[in-house]
């Protein structure tokens, strides 16, 4: 089992606010993304690939006005229907909330997390999704819990398995490079064990109040994004 960081998840109250935040904070305009009918969300994308995290990107994601998840009795992914998270983002602006890890076999990865020695972690069902792009059809399988929870305050990644095409294959350089990602959690050993179960490396883990800390090189210099408080 070998998991790699696939993308950072930055939630915004609206895509317009997300774009304005990105331009002001990171000094770049995000590239077009698309809609997710499965979850009633839409996004904009930024290539953040580098030596430490190849084929990595950041998505700025928001609830698409007037849209709802297409699956009944399902909350949106990444806790985006959580009232506390929504209120925090509305008050403080877009925020890093989560990350997604790609795996070669999502079924095996979810089984690894569910084993008893890893506290029966339920990462959620594997859902199939797709989207047509100018570079080709994107197809993926992704873990989504019916309650939409991120788990470990966002420090345990959602799992994704891509088809033949990956978003970064045709994503232009953005001027951003992800240098590091660090996770803090009061149950750091349990988080470390869960990440080890899926073969996730390159993420530093410390004990402390829940927080994700991503450091990026940007046209404005080094910028640190944090999830603390969500």
């Amino acid at each position: 089992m070998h998991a790699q960081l696939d993308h950072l998840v930055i939630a915004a109250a609206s895509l317009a606010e997300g774009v304005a935040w990105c331009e002001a904070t990171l000094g770049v305009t995000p590239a077009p993304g698309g809609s997710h009918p499965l979850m009633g969300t839409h996004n904009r994308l930024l290539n953040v690939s580098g030596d430490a995290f190849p084929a990595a990107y950041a998505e700025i994601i928001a609830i698409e006005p007037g849209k709802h998840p297409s699956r009944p009795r399902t909350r949106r992914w990444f806790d985006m229907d959580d009232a506390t998270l929504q209120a925090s983002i509305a008050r403080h602006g877009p925020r890093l909330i989560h990350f997604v890890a790609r795996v070669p076999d999502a079924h095996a990865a979810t089984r690894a997390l569910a084993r008893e020695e890893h506290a029966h972690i339920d990462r959620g069902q594997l859902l199939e999704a797709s989207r047509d792009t100018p570079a080709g059809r994107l197809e993926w399988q992704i873990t989504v819990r019916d309650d939409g929870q991120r788990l470990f305050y966002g420090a345990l990644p959602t799992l994704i398995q891509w088809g033949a095409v990956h978003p970064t294959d045709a994503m232009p350089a953005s001027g951003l490079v992800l240098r590091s990602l660090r996770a803090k959690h009061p149950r750091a050993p349990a988080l470390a064990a869960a990440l080890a179960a899926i073969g996730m490396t390159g993420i530093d883990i410390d004990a402390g109040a829940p927080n994700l800390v991503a450091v990026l090189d940007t046209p404005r210099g080094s910028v640190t994004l944090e999830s603390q408080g969500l």
Side-chain angles (χ1 to χ4, degrees), residues 55-141:
Y57 65 100
E59 75 168 336
I60 298 171
I61 189 168
I63 293 173
E64 189 167 7
K67 303 294 184 179
H68 301 279
S70 61
R71 297 174 69 245
R73 298 181 299 279
T74 299
R75 293 168 68 85
R76 290 179 176 87
W77 45 24
F78 313 144
D79 279 318
M80 293 186 68
D81 284 327
D82 181 81
T84 300
L85 186 144
Q86 289 179 348
S88 180
I89 290 171
R91 185 166 57 251
H92 300 295
R95 185 80 66 88
L96 173 68
I97 63 167
H98 192 39
F99 72 104
V100 176
R102 64 179 175 271
V103 292
D105 186 335
H107 287 281
T110 54
R111 288 195 299 269
L113 287 174
R115 292 186 188 123
E116 183 174 358
E117 62 266 35
H118 301 302
H120 297 291
I121 293 172
D122 179 8
R123 184 56 282 183
Q125 301 180 61
L126 265 177
L127 303 182
E128 294 187 359
S130 62
R131 180 162 61 87
D132 290 317
T133 75
R137 187 173 180 81
L138 290 175
E139 297 179 317
W140 66 95
Q141 299 178 69

Side-chain angles (χ1 to χ4, degrees), residues 6-90:
D6 190 72
H7 63 276
L8 303 176
V9 179
I10 298 165
S14 71
L15 272 192
E17 289 186 24
V19 171
W21 167 88
C22 186
E23 292 171 343
T25 304
L26 304 179
V28 298
T29 300
S35 296
H36 311 118
L38 193 67
M39 287 291 142
T41 57
H42 56 169
N43 66 9
R44 297 284 292 265
L45 306 175
L46 295 147
N47 194 331
V48 298
S49 303
D51 291 340
F53 301 100
Y57 65 100
E59 75 168 336
I60 298 171
I61 189 168
I63 293 173
E64 189 167 7
K67 303 294 184 179
H68 301 279
S70 61
R71 297 174 69 245
R73 298 181 299 279
T74 299
R75 293 168 68 85
R76 290 179 176 87
W77 45 24
F78 313 144
D79 279 318
M80 293 186 68
D81 284 327
D82 181 81
T84 300
L85 186 144
Q86 289 179 348
S88 180
I89 290 171

